[in-house]
């Protein structure tokens, strides 16, 4: 009986497995092959691990990894801010329904639109500097996007803003799954808000927090190409070039598709190295 059920499940899943292999596994295998070649888009010459050795010695790639590490530092903000917004909405203050309806707005905008909007905010003649001049703080204005030392900051802020709606929704779902009687019992025992959050809400929402962390992490590595393209074009220099944008610069800027494939494989390994422990933690929390 058990084997019959497994065979039936496998039969129904077989179309999905075939599509998964054709559109995910096969492209990864092809990319891994081309990462071992010098490929200009027309002809590929076997190069073994030469591309990987060149990449490890590249100072530009070091800058790119550093930019990705800086963006990782923004992930806690992309989780903490939505968590407290979700808590506030769950308390149902006046106007909470409007806030709940509008909070998801950032997630509905394309990265291009988001980039254009925040370009108008952070550019040298943008709204941020105009606001500083208007309140008499013109001495503090700066060209954030034009400096190699600060250009990554507007990218990180925009990324955090873009994740607020999505993660708030996840946390609201998590909060709605908590039995109200548990929270009432906690209130009767005299626990304050922080005590309730620490003793009840955080433990019961662990799987939701880990899930939000996983999708935010993947977005930080793989979803910011359009945003960076619109706001900075990866510059100045390599100051806002992430690994996914570096693939574009190598493949389509220098027609070095082999090296682009190499960076793609390295990006895949980095995401796996960071996200697999989170996925294992999610499975344990969901058990």
């Amino acid at each position: 009986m058990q084997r019959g059920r497994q065979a039936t499940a496998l039969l129904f899943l077989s179309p999905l497995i075939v599509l998964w292999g054709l559109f995910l596994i096969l492209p990864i295998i092809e990319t891994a092959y081309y990462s071992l070649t010098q490929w200009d888009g027309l002809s590929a010459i076997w190069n073994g691990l030469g591309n990987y050795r060149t990449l490890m010695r590249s100072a530009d790639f070091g800058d790119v990894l550093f930019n990705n590490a800086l963006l990782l530092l923004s992930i806690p903000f992309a989780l903490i801010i939505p968590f407290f917004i979700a808590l506030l909405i769950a308390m149902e203050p006046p106007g909470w329904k409007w806030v709940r309806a509008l909070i998801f707005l950032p997630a509905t905008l394309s990265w291009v639109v988001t980039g254009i909007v925040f370009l108008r905010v952070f550019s040298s003649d943008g709204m941020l500097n105009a606001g500083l001049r208007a309140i008499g703080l013109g001495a503090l204005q700066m060209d954030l996007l034009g400096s190699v030392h600060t250009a990554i900051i507007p990218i990180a802020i925009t990324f955090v803003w873009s994740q607020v709606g999505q993660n708030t929704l996840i946390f609201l779902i998590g909060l709605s799954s908590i039995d109200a009687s548990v929270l009432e019992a906690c209130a009767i025992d005299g626990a304050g808000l922080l005590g309730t959050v620490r003793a009840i809400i955080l433990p019961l929402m662990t799987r939701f927090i880990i899930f939000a962390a996983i999708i935010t992490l993947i977005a930080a590595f793989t979803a910011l190409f359009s945003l960076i393209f619109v706001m900075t074009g990866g510059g100045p220099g390599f100051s806002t070039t992430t690994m996914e944008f570096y693939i574009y610069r190598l493949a389509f800027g220098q027609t070095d598709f082999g090296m682009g494939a190499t960076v793609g494989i390295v990006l895949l390994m980095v995401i796996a190295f960071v996200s697999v422990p989170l996925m294992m933690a999610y499975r344990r929390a969901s058990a």
Side-chain angles (χ1 to χ4, degrees):
M1 179 66 77
Q2 185 67 22
R3 287 188 176 180
R5 289 180 178 177
Q6 291 178 348
T8 303
L10 188 61
L11 178 64
F12 279 103
L13 287 173
S14 57
L16 179 62
I17 294 173
V18 171
L19 292 174
W20 186 64
L22 284 176
F23 295 103
L24 182 63
I25 301 302
L26 184 59
I28 290 176
I29 293 174
E30 283 189 326
T31 303
Y33 167 73
Y34 283 117
S35 73
L36 302 172
T37 67
Q38 290 180 332
W39 180 36
D40 61 1
L42 296 175
S43 60
I45 302 172
W46 182 258
N47 191 31
L49 296 176
N51 288 349
Y52 290 92
R53 286 193 287 268
T54 301
L55 197 63
M56 293 303 108
R57 291 194 295 265
S58 170
D60 293 339
F61 186 62
D63 294 338
V64 168
L65 286 177
F66 183 67
N67 293 335
N68 273 107
L70 290 178
L71 284 177
L72 288 181
L73 295 178
S74 68
I75 290 179
F77 296 98
L79 296 173
I80 294 172
I81 294 173
F83 181 79
F84 283 102
I85 292 175
L87 275 180
L88 185 62
I89 294 175
M91 294 176 187
E92 301 185 0
W96 68 275
K97 291 184 178 179
W98 283 101
V99 175
R100 188 182 62 179
L102 295 174
I103 199 67
F104 196 63
L105 180 63
T108 64
L109 299 177
S110 75
W111 287 105
V112 173
V113 174
T114 301
I116 291 172
V117 171
F118 278 86
L119 180 63
R120 293 296 303 156
V121 173
F122 291 112
S123 62
S124 59
D125 59 347
M127 290 184 282
L128 178 61
N129 284 337
L132 290 173
R133 289 193 298 271
I135 60 176
L137 298 176
L140 297 178
Q141 63 181 343
M142 62 177 66
D143 185 7
L144 287 172
L145 293 171
S147 170
V148 295
H149 302 295
T150 59
I152 196 69
I153 296 174
I155 299 292
I157 293 173
T158 307
F159 170 66
V160 170
W161 179 84
S162 70
Q163 299 300 300
V164 166
Q166 163 195 282
N167 289 342
T168 300
L169 185 63
I170 292 172
F171 295 144
L172 281 172
I173 294 171
L175 288 170
S176 67
S177 69
I178 299 176
D179 192 337
S181 63
V182 177
L183 299 177
E184 291 172 1
C186 199
I188 292 172
D189 288 341
L193 176 61
L194 291 179
T196 304
V197 169
R198 186 176 63 253
I200 302 296
I201 295 177
L202 283 178
L204 293 179
M205 286 191 59
T206 300
R207 59 193 172 118
F208 294 94
I209 295 171
I210 295 175
F211 177 71
I214 291 172
I215 61 175
T216 304
L217 177 74
I218 293 175
F221 276 111
T222 64
L224 297 183
F225 174 83
S226 301
L227 180 70
I228 294 172
F229 188 87
V230 170
M231 292 185 70
T232 65
F238 281 85
S239 60
T240 58
T241 298
T242 59
M243 275 196 280
E244 64 166 333
F245 201 87
Y246 195 41
I247 294 171
Y248 165 77
R249 293 180 72 155
L250 288 169
F252 298 97
Q254 304 176 20
T255 62
D256 192 346
F257 291 93
M259 189 62 78
T262 304
V263 178
I265 293 299
V266 172
L267 175 60
L268 177 66
M269 291 189 293
V270 170
I271 293 175
F273 178 77
V274 178
S275 62
V276 166
L278 285 173
M279 290 181 179
M280 294 173 65
Y282 177 78
R283 291 190 63 179
R284 287 195 298 271
S286 302

